[in-house]
Amino acid sequence: MTDQKFNIEKPYAYEIKGGTPLRGDIDISGSKNAALGVIAAAMMVDGPCTLENVPDISDIHVMFELCKSLGATVDMIDIHTYRIDPTTINTYKASGALVSKIRASYYLMGALLGRCGKASIRLPGGCNFGDRPIDLHLKAFRLMGATGAKMTDIDSGIVNLKAEPLCGAKIYLDIVSVGATINTMLAACKAQGKTEIINAAKEPHIVDVANFLNSMGARIKGAGTDTIKITGVPVLPGNFTYSIIPDQIEAGTYMVAAAVTGGDVTIHNLIPTHMEPLSAKMREMGYQIEEGDDSIRVYKNSPDDEIYPTSVKTSPYPGFPTDLQPQTVVLLCMAQGQSRMHENVWQNRFQYVSELTKMGANINAFERVAWINGISGFRAATVEATDLRAGAALVCAALAATGTSYITRAMRIDRGYEHIVKKLTGIGANIRRVNVEEFSEDNEA
Ligand code: UD1
């Protein structure tokens, strides 16, 4: 689907009239990062498959367009269900501008190397929070026998990989990397012999991609631990229906939105254990977190309850997710006292602090650490979504602020949040999308 709704170039803003506690029930969609990995994995299968619980967000639509540009057949059954037939793939090249729109396009390297023994892929895009190297991905491909996998081989931004044959290998990842773990796993599924990934990432979406591939006939063991063992198979038969896991980051964002507005919201269709790093910190801060089988209720016992400061360090799963760091900083602004956020994963992920400061935040950020001084409340302002999760954090702050805020470049938020206006409206938020023609700086609150 490439309708106007998903034109991520088209500038629009979110207008939010904040200050109302959010109340009610909200449903979580399928995981963006799991779905991106699974769709790439589907490109390796030797038959059709059906994916359910696919989130209706722009990054996924870009990924589907990329798959179609390879020749794959992608049929929408409903907005969350797709039938994918990769047997019509007729090229190993993905070098157009679409590739640079999303980070996860790099998964096509592993998938096409596995399928075709060759891959010619433009360097990926994605949020800009410092250097985002792919040296570990390339190291893994090199160890599996691929040529063209040195950084110096990259030609005009295109990685040209060739492996005849692709062979299993023992691969130690110097840094825990989600992308390198998934990419290696993809290629290894169809490599000759056994692959061992040591110091693998353990994020829920890695397990989801492995479960999908195993359902298709792959032989992957240990996904979710730091050692993954894969025995390559010549054919992945497919013909299977697979449902994507819920989005941990979307769920965490709505937990923060509920808390920061002093609301009472039950978030459904999530996996509570995936939320534990955030739930534990919110409990430390004084919020009530009630877990059901697939839901979490967030509320305060009394509006006057004290909110305590705390310190948070992001790290790979099961550590605190870096993709919830900006939203959590917004929450820490509500604490009485000074909190600390240490960003351990990305070099430069506090770019949004200057925007949050316009809304009254009192934060000193230096390199990888931010000291957050509690404030009595946010004030409405016009601010820019500097990236996807930063945008989500600004939405949370605007929901808490009294008055009308505008979050510009809101298309960045829609990369990862399905129907955010509808979902937030459903729990009492006053939010609407405004086009640039409607919006001007005069609207600044
Ligand atoms: C994925 C997520 C992103 C999330 C991140 C960390 C997707 C599409 N994106 O990104 O939202 O913030 O995991 O949870 O799933 N590194 C290297 N060399 C490499 C690869 C990574 O040095 O070859 C470093 C990175 O600079 C970073 C760290 O490893 O400091 C983790 O990055 P990685 O886990 O690979 O992130 P992504 O897979 O790009």
Side-chain angles (χ1 to χ4, degrees):
M1 192 203 283
T2 51
D3 64 13
Q4 283 285 309
K5 198 168 106 185
F6 292 110
N7 182 349
I8 57 176
E9 298 303 336
K10 191 178 168 197
Y12 52 85
Y14 282 141
E15 178 193 84
I16 297 174
K17 295 183 178 160
T20 311
L22 299 178
R23 292 189 194 286
D25 297 84
I26 190 165
D27 282 323
I28 295 309
S29 301
S31 158
K32 162 175 120 28
N33 289 345
L36 289 167
V38 166
I39 294 167
M43 294 301 102
M44 299 177 66
V45 181
D46 296 293
C49 62
T50 302
L51 296 183
E52 296 175 343
N53 204 30
V54 177
D56 188 23
I57 52 176
S58 60
D59 267 22
I60 295 295
H61 295 282
V62 171
M63 192 67 174
F64 278 141
E65 287 308 310
L66 269 173
C67 295
K68 287 188 206 164
S69 74
L70 299 172
T73 309
V74 179
D75 292 318
M76 186 171 88
I77 295 169
D78 62 47
I79 59 163
H80 297 127
T81 311
Y82 289 82
R83 185 173 183 279
I84 300 176
D85 185 354
T87 57
T88 49
I89 287 180
N90 53 34
T91 178
Y92 59 89
K93 294 183 181 169
S95 52
L98 266 185
V99 184
S100 326
K101 289 208 185 299
I102 55 171
R103 186 78 192 152
S105 51
Y106 57 21
Y107 292 145
L108 294 176
M109 292 182 200
L112 291 175
L113 204 50
R115 181 177 196 95
C116 314
K118 293 183 210 171
S120 195
I121 314 285
R122 180 171 291 283
L123 287 172
C127 295
N128 173 18
F129 17 76
D131 253 5
R132 296 190 75 172
I134 57 159
D135 55 310
L136 295 175
H137 305 233
L138 295 183
K139 172 176 123 170
F141 298 143
R142 203 162 59 238
L143 289 170
M144 295 171 85
T147 57
K150 290 194 200 122
M151 293 303 285
T152 47
D153 293 332
I154 300 175
D155 181 12
S156 310
I158 311 242
V159 183
N160 293 297
L161 302 168
K162 193 171 180 183
E164 290 169 333
L166 189 65
C167 296
K170 192 166 187 165
I171 292 153
Y172 171 76
L173 297 179
D174 314 57
I175 297 174
V176 177
S177 158
V178 171
T181 301
I182 292 183
N183 235 339
T184 310
M185 206 163 70
L186 292 175
C189 277
K190 281 211 162 174
Q192 292 178 10
K194 295 187 179 188
T195 297
E196 194 172 332
I197 309 173
I198 302 153
N199 200 27
K202 298 180 274 200
E203 267 66 6
H205 46 289
I206 287 171
V207 180
D208 211 35
V209 175
N211 286 343
F212 167 79
L213 283 162
N214 283 342
S215 310
M216 298 293 134
R219 291 175 61 196
I220 304 171
K221 284 188 180 162
T225 74
D226 54 17
T227 304
I228 303 179
K229 292 183 180 170
I230 304 129
T231 304
V233 293
V235 175
L236 292 171
N239 272 320
F240 200 86
T241 297
Y242 189 83
S243 185
I244 307 287
I245 53 165
D247 198 302
Q248 176 202 28
I249 307 303
E250 189 199 18
T253 303
Y254 291 130
M255 286 172 70
V256 169
V260 85
T261 60
D264 182 347
V265 176
T266 303
I267 300 140
H268 297 269
N269 186 32
L270 50 69
I271 298 175
T273 47
H274 293 171
M275 306 317 303
E276 197 48 42
L278 178 63
S279 300
K281 282 291 157 191
M282 289 179 71
R283 284 194 184 102
E284 256 178 55
M285 293 179 74
Y287 290 101
Q288 302 301 312
I289 306 292
E290 253 175 44
E291 287 179 10
D293 288 345
D294 67 350
S295 65
I296 286 182
R297 178 180 168 208
V298 177
Y299 64 102
K300 263 164 81 172
N301 265 338
S302 141
D304 305 325
D305 277 356
E306 186 163 349
I307 299 301
Y308 302 100
T310 186
S311 100
V312 182
K313 280 187 185 170
T314 65
S315 58
Y317 191 81
F320 195 93
T322 172
D323 287 354
L324 284 175
Q325 181 257 98
Q327 304 88 317
T328 305
V329 164
V330 167
L331 190 59
L332 293 172
C333 288
M334 306 312 279
Q336 286 144 33
Q338 191 180 64
S339 299
R340 197 178 60 169
M341 174 61 79
H342 195 123
E343 173 55 58
N344 263 333
V345 179
W346 297 111
Q347 206 180 42
N348 190 8
R349 207 172 185 173
F350 288 120
Q351 286 155 324
Y352 64 90
V353 163
S354 54
E355 297 304 290
L356 209 50
T357 305
K358 293 179 193 164
M359 303 186 77
N362 180 354
I363 301 171
N364 297 312
F366 181 68
E367 295 184 345
R368 286 177 179 256
V369 185
W371 285 268
I372 302 118
N373 299 302
I375 53 173
S376 55
F378 287 104
R379 60 171 181 264
T382 296
V383 286
E384 180 183 323
T386 48
D387 63 58
L388 163 60
R389 306 302 173 186
L394 294 170
V395 167
C396 292
L399 289 166
T402 313
T404 305
S405 295
Y406 291 90
I407 320 287
T408 65
R409 302 212 170 262
M411 55 282 182
R412 289 179 172 154
I413 302 170
D414 289 355
R415 287 187 40 218
Y417 290 87
E418 177 176 311
H419 310 162
I420 188 169
V421 170
K422 193 173 161 205
K423 287 193 186 191
L424 282 172
T425 305
I427 50 173
N430 189 336
I431 173 171
R432 70 177 186 117
R433 186 167 133 173
V434 289
N435 294 324
V436 270
E437 305 84 61
E438 270 186 79
F439 168 78
S440 81
E441 292 297 311
D442 298 340
N443 286 331
E444 199 161 344

